[in-house]
Amino acid sequence: MSNLFKNRTATAMLIGEEGPIFDNEDWMYEVKFDGVRCLAYLNEETDLRNKRNIMVSSIYPELSKIHAQVNRPCILDGELIVVSNGKPVFAEMQRRALMVNPVKIRLAAERLPVTYVVFDILWLDGKELLWEPLTERKKLLNETVHESNRLAISATFDQGVALYDLVVQQELEGIVAKRRDSPYRMGKRTKDWYKAKRMLDDDYIVCGYINKGQGLVSIVIAQYSLNYNLQYKGHVTMGIKNPDFEYIKRQKTLKNPPLNIPGGHGNERAVWIEPELVCRVEFMEYLRGGSLRQPAFRGLRNDKTPIECLEKQLP
């Protein structure tokens, strides 16, 4: 058994580019699921690891037996999703990812169980597959995994534009294009994987909040510059009854803002907190100065650290 499996040292390959979709016979296309990335080590038990290589199996008891659905020991790459009304719901998935209470976890697993949608295989029965072309890895994946309601294989398509049109129609997140001959580059952000999303999104650091009244609160968000200074990126509104806000309110408060804030943004009414939480924000487009058009809060995430939230170098 290679060290990759034994030492749990695999890291996820990352998408390197984003933009409009295209058709090309050298590429294959998949739906981009709105969930949480996860590697699975499957042998005599199920060991799930998030992008920070933290074991998260106990959070998803409904997936504890998926190792029985593979015919050989393997390392799989995929997305954990919660489906409600026929669509993945990121907010529900993030709520699960932050749970620690075993009773609440069990109830959530019964109410809206998680499904693991796999799209790649890194290791199989003692052999690393990292340098095998994607087409071969897909073939081995389909030969290895027996699907169920809790473990599914991501379908692939030959036509990117048609798939994207269907995704937009169904109001799903987007699609991913992958070069058919691409190897699996662990931990690398590579142009061999390309995404086209219905809306843009990015990860931001929560620095504080301002009560707006009428059941709403404005979250102050930031990202690090390339020299690792916190840069103000605006506000995003959320409801005070959102469970994520309850979590934000429990963070350690600061007397002064942890970053420079432009005047006229409600600074005097803000509650500042340690910049340790990361949230996902969806928006229509970047505006001048890096602010966001029509931002929407989409949940806290514990699989990413604040230092990973780097501002985009916009034209």
Side-chain angles (χ1 to χ4, degrees), residues 54-69:
I54 296 172
M55 188 175 180
V56 295
S57 306
S58 62
I59 306 175
Y60 312 106
E62 64 270 48
L63 302 181
S64 64
K65 302 297 184 182
I66 62 172
H67 61 275
Q69 294 176 232

Side-chain angles (χ1 to χ4, degrees), residues 21 160-171 175:
I21 198 54
V161 174
L163 180 61
Y164 182 79
D165 289 343
L166 181 61
V167 161
V168 171
Q169 179 183 337
Q170 298 295 320
E171 297 184 345
I175 70 172

Side-chain angles (χ1 to χ4, degrees), residues 41-56:
Y41 296 80
L42 306 180
N43 190 1
E44 296 177 351
E45 60 182 6
T46 297
D47 183 350
L48 303 175
R49 304 288 177 122
N50 67 15
K51 283 173 64 177
R52 297 167 65 183
N53 201 28
I54 296 172
M55 188 175 180
V56 295

Side-chain angles (χ1 to χ4, degrees), residues 24-238:
N24 188 311
E25 63 182 10
D26 295 330
W27 295 68
M28 65 176 67
Y29 306 90
E30 301 175 57
V31 174
K32 189 177 190 307
F33 291 97
D34 209 0
V36 172
R37 189 77 173 275
C38 182
L39 296 181
Y41 296 80
L42 306 180
N43 190 1
E44 296 177 351
E45 60 182 6
T46 297
D47 183 350
L48 303 175
R49 304 288 177 122
N50 67 15
K51 283 173 64 177
R52 297 167 65 183
N53 201 28
I54 296 172
M55 188 175 180
V56 295
S57 306
S58 62
I59 306 175
Y60 312 106
E62 64 270 48
L63 302 181
S64 64
K65 302 297 184 182
I66 62 172
H67 61 275
Q69 294 176 232
V70 298
N71 55 33
R72 287 182 286 173
C74 57
I75 304 174
L76 305 180
D77 186 5
E79 199 89 1
L80 300 172
I81 65 170
V82 169
V83 176
S84 180
N85 296 321
K87 297 179 183 178
V89 181
F90 182 77
E92 291 288 350
M93 188 62 241
Q94 284 305 103
R95 195 165 292 125
R96 282 295 302 278
L98 295 169
M99 285 184 177
V100 294
N101 185 300
V103 175
K104 291 184 177 180
I105 288 173
R106 189 183 72 249
L107 292 174
E110 294 172 355
R111 184 178 67 91
L112 284 175
V114 166
T115 296
Y116 185 40
V117 182
V118 296
F119 47 73
D120 218 321
I121 183 167
L122 289 64
W123 182 96
L124 180 62
D125 203 13
K127 180 183 179 182
E128 290 187 5
L129 305 176
L130 305 177
W131 294 104
E132 296 290 336
L134 177 59
T135 49
E136 178 62 18
R137 300 200 308 274
K138 289 286 191 182
K139 176 176 177 289
L140 293 171
L141 178 65
N142 280 278
E143 292 173 353
T144 302
V145 172
H146 305 288
E147 293 186 282
S148 73
N149 289 336
R150 302 281 68 83
L151 179 62
I153 299 174
S154 174
T156 60
F157 300 85
D158 295 330
Q159 301 298 320
V161 174
L163 180 61
Y164 182 79
D165 289 343
L166 181 61
V167 161
V168 171
Q169 179 183 337
Q170 298 295 320
E171 297 184 345
L172 300 175
E173 185 185 9
I175 70 172
V176 178
K178 300 177 180 180
R179 289 188 185 274
R180 294 180 181 273
D181 62 354
S182 60
Y184 191 99
R185 300 182 183 276
M186 290 199 305
K188 302 296 184 182
R189 193 172 297 279
T190 167
K191 294 181 180 180
D192 288 338
W193 287 9
Y194 177 102
K195 66 181 176 182
K197 299 191 67 174
R198 189 169 57 89
M199 289 186 68
L200 298 176
D201 72 356
D202 209 346
D203 297 313
Y204 293 86
I205 305 157
V206 179
C207 295
Y209 57 90
I210 302 168
N211 286 306
K212 300 177 66 176
Q214 299 182 336
L216 298 174
V217 64
S218 183
I219 305 298
V220 182
I221 57 175
Q223 290 178 322
Y224 280 107
S225 64
L226 293 181
N227 58 357
Y228 294 101
N229 292 316
L230 273 178
Q231 302 294 315
Y232 170 76
K233 294 299 177 183
H235 298 68
V236 57
T237 300
M238 68 186 299

Side-chain angles (χ1 to χ4, degrees), residues 95 238-248 250 300:
R95 195 165 292 125
M238 68 186 299
I240 60 173
K241 293 185 178 181
N242 188 317
D244 283 345
F245 182 55
E246 292 298 318
Y247 194 81
I248 291 170
R250 294 198 297 268
L300 295 174

